């Protein structure tokens, strides 16, 4: 297996362009802090996370900040068929396989293949996933590049190339946002607008039924800005954990608008753009007394995730956009995070 090169060690890195400062670790290619100013210039760290790499290794059950794969979200009963072969994956979420299995891309050390300073500082992480890893077929080379493209924007470009076998690939960035500051309590007062007029409704095990449900006149309607907490009690279960089908509306840098998030207390705003077909809107329903950065304790709804992605269980749903990638073809997934204050 070894190429002779020493295995990379888990470290922290920083990108700073004078307005946005991001710390990352190559363990899970994760964002560990992200500092942005409010309208008065006050800077806060707006992502949930841990102070030490050890905590990411040992305590990151919520998937704070990391990239998940080989297939993000849930695969029904951890099974799928591809080219006449049945594949079986680890079951780690009720009866399903979640976020790549027991040791997904969030639980490995990626190598650092490029770092750039200057006006557009960036870092590129790379991971080579092998055939049979967590039950998935074929070797896949994955890269993730984080780049501060302007004083207001961070871009993430994820790519994956299967070397020798057809395989499903669906990467997601699992950062938990709290624009008032990671240690400021819950996000129920945050205003959210999602550019998706349908969701993929789910069964009792959080697996999509295959249908598309218009959000109009339901608790899932974020087509216009509204408070996270305004209809959350009407959602079955503990809160939002649903895939929105993104509309192909307004574009920026070739990417479509996903969501706008605003914290009224600080006036910080995040606009997110992507080229993927869906976004999982998740309100940290299962975060419960997690010891975070600087002595903060994160409770339920202490952050929100906007995980752009292929649809959950797409490998078993022929009417969902395909997540299957052929050897030599390239999976691509970009996200643009635009920060402002208003």
């Amino acid at each position: 297996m070894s190429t002779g090169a020493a295995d990379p060690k888990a470290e922290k890195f920083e990108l700073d362009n004078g307005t946005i400062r991001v710390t990352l670790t190559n363990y899970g290619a994760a964002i560990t802090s992200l500092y942005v100013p409010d309208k008065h210039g006050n800077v806060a760290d707006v992502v949930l996370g841990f102070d030490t790499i050890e905590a990411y290794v040992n305590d990151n059950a919520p998937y704070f900040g990391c990239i998940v794969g080989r297939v993000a979200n849930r695969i029904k009963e951890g099974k799928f068929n591809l080219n006449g072969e049945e594949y079986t994956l680890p079951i780690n979420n009720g009866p399903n396989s979640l976020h790549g299995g027991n040791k997904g891309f969030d639980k490995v050390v990626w190598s650092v293949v490029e770092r750039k300073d200057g006006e557009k500082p960036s870092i590129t992480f790379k991971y080579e996933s092998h055939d049979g890893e967590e039950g998935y077929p074929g070797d896949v080379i994955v890269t993730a590049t984080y780049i501060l493209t302007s004083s207001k924007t961070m871009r993430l470009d994820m790519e994956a190339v299967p070397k020798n076998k057809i395989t499903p690939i669906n990467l997601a960035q699992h950062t938990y946002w709290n624009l008032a500051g990671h240690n400021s309590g819950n996000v129920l007062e945050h205003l959210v607008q999602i550019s998706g007029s349908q969701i993929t409704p789910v069964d009792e095990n959080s697996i999509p039924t295959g249908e598309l449900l218009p959000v109009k006149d339901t608790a899932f309607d974020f087509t216009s800005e509204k408070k996270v907490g305004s209809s959350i009690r009407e959602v079955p279960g503990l809160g939002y954990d649903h895939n929105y089908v993104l509309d192909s509306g307004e574009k920026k840098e070739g990417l479509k608008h996903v969501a706008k998030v605003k914290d009224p207390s600080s006036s910080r705003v995040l606009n997110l753009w992507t080229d993927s077909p869906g976004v999982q809107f998740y309100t940290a329903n299962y975060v419960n007394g997690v010891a975070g950065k600087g002595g903060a304790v994160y409770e339920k709804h202490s952050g929100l995730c906007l995980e752009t992605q292929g649809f959950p269980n797409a490998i078993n749903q022929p009417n969902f956009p395909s997540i299957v990638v052929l050897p030599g073809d390239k999976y691509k997934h970009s996200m643009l995070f635009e920060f402002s204050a208003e």
Side-chain angles (χ1 to χ4, degrees):
M1 292 295 292
S2 175
T3 54
D7 285 336
K9 74 178 207 291
E11 299 176 75
K12 279 194 179 178
F13 305 90
E14 187 173 277
L15 302 177
D16 187 348
N17 65 4
T19 312
I20 303 171
R21 181 161 61 91
V22 190
T23 57
L24 306 118
T25 174
N26 57 329
Y27 186 83
I31 297 171
T32 57
S33 353
L34 196 151
Y35 295 88
V36 285
D38 67 8
K39 65 177 177 192
H40 304 296
N42 301 312
V43 170
D45 179 2
V46 295
V47 303
L48 275 53
F50 301 109
D51 287 322
T52 66
I53 290 173
E54 290 71 34
Y56 283 92
V57 175
N58 298 319
D59 306 321
N60 199 8
Y63 300 93
F64 288 153
C66 55
I67 290 179
V68 293
R70 181 176 307 190
V71 174
N73 218 299
R74 294 171 179 87
I75 292 180
K76 184 178 181 175
E77 293 168 2
K79 290 189 180 116
F80 64 90
N81 266 296
L82 204 50
N83 276 7
E85 269 195 67
E86 176 155 300
Y87 294 93
T88 308
L89 313 171
I91 303 296
N92 62 343
N93 180 261
N96 307 312
S97 191
L98 177 72
H99 291 334
N102 294 325
K103 191 181 179 184
F105 294 176
D106 62 297
K107 295 180 181 68
V108 296
V109 181
W110 300 47
S111 53
V112 178
V113 289
E114 190 171 46
R115 285 192 75 180
K116 288 181 183 164
D117 295 322
E119 264 181 44
K120 295 184 178 182
S122 68
I123 189 164
T124 300
F125 299 116
K126 178 181 176 183
Y127 178 62
E128 300 196 22
S129 176
H130 58 80
D131 183 25
E133 185 175 326
E134 295 299 298
Y136 288 97
D139 300 326
V140 178
I141 295 177
V142 189
T143 58
T145 299
Y146 292 92
I147 176 167
L148 301 183
T149 46
S150 78
S151 63
K152 289 190 162 189
T153 51
M154 175 179 75
R155 185 171 171 127
L156 168 61
D157 293 311
M158 295 175 271
E159 295 188 350
V161 178
K163 284 208 269 195
N164 41 23
K165 286 186 186 174
I166 186 171
T167 182
I169 300 176
N170 183 19
L171 306 180
Q173 215 298 342
H174 210 298
T175 289
Y176 287 70
W177 302 96
N178 185 328
L179 297 182
H182 75 99
N183 55 351
S184 65
N186 69 53
V187 293
L188 297 177
E189 294 293 307
H190 276 43
L191 295 163
V192 170
Q193 178 265 322
I194 299 174
S195 297
S197 50
Q198 297 174 303
I199 59 163
T200 51
V202 293
D203 66 15
E204 68 280 5
N205 293 317
S206 295
I207 294 291
T209 60
E211 62 203 313
L212 303 181
L213 177 77
V215 297
K216 192 171 163 51
D217 302 326
T218 74
F220 299 101
D221 191 350
F222 284 91
T223 49
S224 332
E225 202 170 74
K226 77 172 183 188
K227 281 186 184 177
V228 172
S230 64
S231 328
I232 200 167
R233 304 279 171 266
E234 298 160 41
V235 178
L238 299 171
Y240 295 99
D241 190 8
H242 294 76
N243 173 61
Y244 282 71
V245 180
L246 292 173
D247 303 329
S248 47
E250 195 189 345
K251 287 265 170 82
K252 177 167 283 202
E253 291 184 26
L255 307 176
K256 60 195 168 189
H257 190 252
V258 176
K260 176 186 177 183
V261 183
K262 180 179 179 181
D263 165 47
S265 68
S266 67
S267 300
R268 284 189 196 92
V269 172
L270 165 64
N271 274 283
L272 175 60
W273 311 75
T274 195
D275 51 3
S276 65
V279 62
Q280 191 83 3
F281 176 47
Y282 174 55
T283 47
N285 309 327
Y286 301 102
V287 173
N288 189 350
V290 177
K293 288 178 280 195
V297 177
Y298 305 133
E299 300 293 353
K300 187 166 83 165
H301 310 321
S302 54
L304 61 86
C305 300
L306 291 159
E307 309 155 55
T308 58
Q309 60 180 5
F311 297 175
N313 197 38
I315 190 66
N316 293 312
Q317 277 291 356
N319 57 323
F320 283 179
S322 175
I323 60 163
V324 172
V325 187
L326 296 166
D329 282 0
K330 188 179 278 185
Y331 163 93
K332 286 179 145 177
H333 176 183
S334 293
M335 305 174 79
L336 183 69
F337 304 87
E338 182 183 23
F339 302 95
S340 56
E342 63 180 41

